[in-house]
Amino acid sequence: MPFWLHSLGAFVLAFGLLEVALSALELCLGLRRQRRIVWIATLGALVFVLPDLLTGNPLTPTQVIDVPGLARGLDTPHSVLNDTYLQFIPWEAEVRRLFGQGHLPLWSDRLGGGFPIWSNPQAQCISPIAMLTRLGPIEQFLLLGLALKIAIAFRGVIWLCRILGATRFGAGLGAASFAWGGGLLAWGLWPHGSTLAWLPWLLVSTILLVRRYSRRRMA
């Protein structure tokens, strides 16, 4: 099976599960599910990462250091090393290894001479976004994570703008500005991006809860 096809299958499955989760969240908040918002948010994320998905670009330089478990031959034109390669990929490889062996990733003997990986939030051991990315190959860990963050942020900002009285066009413009620019893309490959992607949903939840309290919304 071609690598891009394998990755595309993982993307479809991850986005399907994300849709279930966000629909449940909307139901709890009393938001009426709208297919248009779902399609705009999903396509907006996929179109943005599609070139890298089809070319198999893992969004991280692989020609200098060999990370166990990361397939070879996926080199990118640049060789800038940063946290995404020196930290996040090795942590993710170890988390996957421990889960694959049927263990919770509480402690790793392979990182730093012994490392409590569970207590490190940047390792994203049970982050909802990271868990969805584990449906795909580790080569696409960063790319799939970025796509999910864009989709979550896009949909959340649309709802935020709508409940604040913006028009449909205004809500879409606001969502595009937030999800396709600014801090989200600057920190898109970092765990910080996950926090930023959920921020609009936190604001939506807070506003609706203050306007009309209910146990379901509190949950």
Side-chain angles (χ1 to χ4, degrees), residues 65-128:
I65 299 177
D66 182 19
V67 175
L70 185 62
R72 304 292 293 173
L74 294 174
D75 299 339
T76 55
H78 52 83
S79 58
V80 178
L81 299 180
N82 53 39
D83 289 351
T84 60
Y85 191 75
L86 298 177
Q87 292 291 315
F88 304 146
I89 292 293
W91 286 341
E92 177 62 17
E94 184 64 359
V95 169
R96 292 186 182 215
R97 184 187 71 83
L98 292 171
F99 272 132
Q101 293 180 352
H103 304 299
L104 288 175
L106 302 176
W107 178 271
S108 171
D109 293 326
R110 299 187 176 187
L111 298 173
F115 182 69
I117 191 170
W118 183 272
S119 64
N120 177 16
Q122 293 199 74
Q124 307 177 86
C125 293
I126 54 174
S127 160

Side-chain angles (χ1 to χ4, degrees), residues 96-174:
R96 292 186 182 215
R97 184 187 71 83
L98 292 171
F99 272 132
Q101 293 180 352
H103 304 299
L104 288 175
L106 302 176
W107 178 271
S108 171
D109 293 326
R110 299 187 176 187
L111 298 173
F115 182 69
I117 191 170
W118 183 272
S119 64
N120 177 16
Q122 293 199 74
Q124 307 177 86
C125 293
I126 54 174
S127 160
I129 294 177
M131 293 298 288
L132 288 175
T133 65
R134 290 169 189 144
L135 296 171
I138 193 172
E139 291 88 347
Q140 297 295 348
F141 166 62
L142 296 173
L143 185 62
L144 178 52
L146 176 60
L148 292 170
K149 293 170 191 176
I150 291 174
I152 293 169
F154 208 109
R155 193 160 163 181
V157 173
I158 286 181
W159 280 121
L160 178 60
C161 291
R162 291 294 286 166
I163 67 173
L164 290 176
T167 63
R168 290 182 179 179
F169 176 79
L173 183 61

Side-chain angles (χ1 to χ4, degrees), residues 8 11 17 40 58 122 153 164 168-169 183 195:
L8 183 61
F11 271 60
L17 293 175
I40 290 176
Q122 293 199 74
L164 290 176
R168 290 182 179 179
F169 176 79
T195 303

